[in-house]
Amino acid sequence: MTERKAKVLYGKEKKALLNTCDKKLSCQLQCRIKVSYYDGLSGLLLGLTLGAAVVALTVLTCGAGTAVVAAAVIATGALGGAAVYYADKTTESRLAKHECDSTTGGTWELFHRKAYIEGANAVLERSFLTCQKGGIVSLVMSHEKALELSKKISDSNKKILELNYYSNLSQGFIGAAANAFKASGAGDVVGLIIGSGLAVYDYVSGADDNYRNQNMQNQHEYARKYLRGEDAELEADGGIVTRETWRDMAIGGGLTAGEAAIPVIGSNRQTLGTLSRWGLEEVVSGNVMTRGIWSCFTRNTAKNMGKEISRNLFTKLNAQKFGVGVAASLISNSIEWGMNKKENDLYKEIIEKINDARGESKGGINIKATGQ
């Protein structure tokens, strides 16, 4: 669509020949980028909610304290509310058509370098417009081909959105439900809350200002190179072991260690209090002999507490919980990587079909662009 008052027209309908100033679309299309972002986030939150519900039910049936059960129920409710909120945002994004106005800030590529129409480079049939949100607008001169291609793109985008949604839902459920394995107390609920928060943080921080995750950015870069005729590879983002895997393992180990240490610290609080008061007195008015006694007593206390903590920490139950947490992380990563690969395969098919529909003049200079 051209917003300028065109003077160079052709055909019986007096259509304008396009130049690189023409970027606004005549129709508003659904933007997959934002829909994918909110759809994936709502799926992740729903998965976390279902997993949190399993944890809440587990700690309830194992006879955990009221505060622990209440915390699990509140976490489940909060995640569920967020899931509903972002499901509504997904619906809003599906209905919003205005995103395609972002093409006005985009850039035409493969335009004619020497031919000008009304002072700007002529747009060719092989030209394509890169939207600043990340999408690609390509020209298809045949109306029949355009309708056929539009249907194929729409169907592929629906499949990509479904893959994205169920990938995040399953990852959320697996990550949260892993805390339900032999759950018995506050440590499991704390792990649920921290793990859920990090899962949402990773998802949100993994998208740039245009709501695109790294895999989607890879797709758009692939499309740009492919349509330019350059060598292009599209690798699925992710892997079985990621940086987040090591972080989650460290956090899980820290929580387990804390859970093992808290009872020991509690049972020795009087001794620790005495050591603290005695140490303060030694700093103010102690001598070499009394400080030596205090140091010996402190070392013995620390040694005995360390042994107790080790006995609590290195148990079969903790080893099983830690193993389940690691396995859940690896499974989630595998799901994401596998789904990203399937998404990329579908996306590559779309780009290949677009490229095939660009007409016989891809290597020529035919100026066929219309204002449609």
Side-chain angles (χ1 to χ4, degrees):
M1 176 179 179
T2 178
E3 294 183 303
R4 59 189 170 84
K5 188 174 182 180
K7 298 178 181 179
V8 181
L9 309 174
Y10 83 99
K12 296 179 180 179
E13 298 180 5
K14 301 295 183 181
K15 295 180 179 179
L17 287 174
L18 300 184
N19 62 28
T20 51
C21 293
D22 300 315
K23 299 177 181 179
K24 185 172 178 62
L25 301 181
S26 58
C27 61
Q28 297 298 297
L29 306 176
Q30 183 186 99
C31 182
R32 176 173 72 91
I33 298 171
K34 185 173 284 190
V35 173
S36 178
Y37 175 81
Y38 285 124
D39 205 31
L41 183 55
S42 65
L44 174 65
L45 288 165
L46 178 58
L48 290 172
T49 302
L50 296 175
V54 174
V55 175
L57 181 61
T58 303
V59 295
L60 176 63
T61 55
C62 77
T66 303
V68 174
V69 175
V73 171
I74 291 172
T76 303
L79 290 167
V84 172
Y85 173 80
Y86 282 106
D88 289 341
K89 293 287 287 185
T90 302
T91 302
E92 291 177 10
S93 298
R94 290 183 189 278
L95 299 176
K97 307 295 185 180
H98 66 279
E99 288 294 334
C100 282
D101 283 345
S102 295
T103 56
T104 56
T107 304
W108 281 104
E109 298 194 45
L110 300 184
F111 50 82
H112 202 295
R113 296 289 178 178
K114 297 181 179 179
Y116 291 84
I117 297 175
E118 298 183 31
N121 294 89
V123 171
L124 307 175
E125 188 174 358
R126 64 190 177 98
S127 304
F128 63 91
L129 177 63
T130 303
C131 174
Q132 62 181 359
K133 292 288 186 181
I136 297 291
V137 178
S138 180
L139 301 172
V140 179
M141 302 312 302
S142 168
H143 182 66
E144 291 74 17
K145 281 186 178 181
L147 290 177
E148 179 184 353
L149 184 60
S150 176
K151 177 66 166 56
K152 290 179 179 178
I153 292 175
S154 177
D155 291 342
S156 295
N157 279 337
K158 287 179 181 178
K159 292 178 182 177
I160 290 175
L161 289 172
E162 288 176 0
L163 286 172
N164 179 58
Y165 179 81
Y166 288 111
S167 170
N168 283 287
L169 187 150
S170 58
Q171 289 178 66
F173 176 76
I174 291 171
N179 294 281
F181 178 77
K182 296 186 177 180
S184 57
D188 302 299
V189 177
V190 171
L192 165 68
I193 295 171
I194 294 177
S196 299
L198 288 174
V200 175
Y201 170 79
D202 290 341
Y203 183 93
V204 174
S205 63
D208 66 7
D209 293 337
N210 292 330
Y211 300 96
R212 297 179 300 165
N213 59 28
Q214 184 59 53
N215 199 61
M216 190 177 290
Q217 293 180 53
N218 293 343
Q219 291 173 359
H220 296 152
E221 183 61 24
Y222 168 83
R224 182 175 176 274
K225 288 184 177 180
Y226 189 90
L227 295 178
R228 287 179 62 88
E230 301 174 3
D231 292 335
E233 296 291 337
L234 182 54
E235 298 292 336
D237 182 55
I240 297 178
V241 179
T242 64
R243 180 178 59 186
E244 289 74 23
T245 303
W246 297 110
R247 179 202 63 194
D248 294 344
M249 288 172 60
I251 292 174
L255 288 173
T256 303
E259 195 171 12
I262 288 174
V264 176
I265 294 173
S267 63
N268 288 273
R269 62 179 180 275
Q270 290 183 345
T271 301
L272 292 173
T274 300
L275 283 172
S276 298
R277 290 192 299 272
W278 191 0
L280 182 60
E281 292 174 1
E282 289 301 318
V283 170
V284 176
S285 58
N287 54 53
V288 175
M289 181 178 293
T290 56
R291 286 174 184 170
I293 297 173
W294 177 81
S295 298
C296 182
F297 185 34
T298 301
R299 286 194 299 270
N300 289 335
T301 302
K303 183 178 179 180
N304 292 333
M305 288 179 62
K307 288 180 178 179
E308 287 187 66
I309 292 173
S310 296
R311 283 195 294 268
N312 291 345
L313 178 60
F314 299 107
T315 64
K316 181 180 178 181
L317 176 60
N318 285 339
Q320 290 175 334
K321 286 185 176 182
F322 186 76
V324 168
V326 173
S329 179
L330 298 180
I331 292 171
S332 294
N333 291 342
S334 298
I335 290 173
E336 181 175 11
W337 181 82
M339 291 296 190
N340 284 343
K341 188 176 184 304
K342 289 183 179 179
E343 284 185 24
N344 288 351
D345 290 341
L346 288 169
Y347 190 79
K348 288 169 71 175
E349 289 181 13
I350 293 175
I351 299 303
E352 289 171 2
K353 289 172 182 175
I354 290 175
N355 195 48
D356 292 340
R358 292 167 74 197
E360 299 176 355
S361 60
K362 284 183 279 188
I365 61 173
N366 194 7
I367 304 175
K368 284 187 176 180
T370 71
Q372 295 299 308

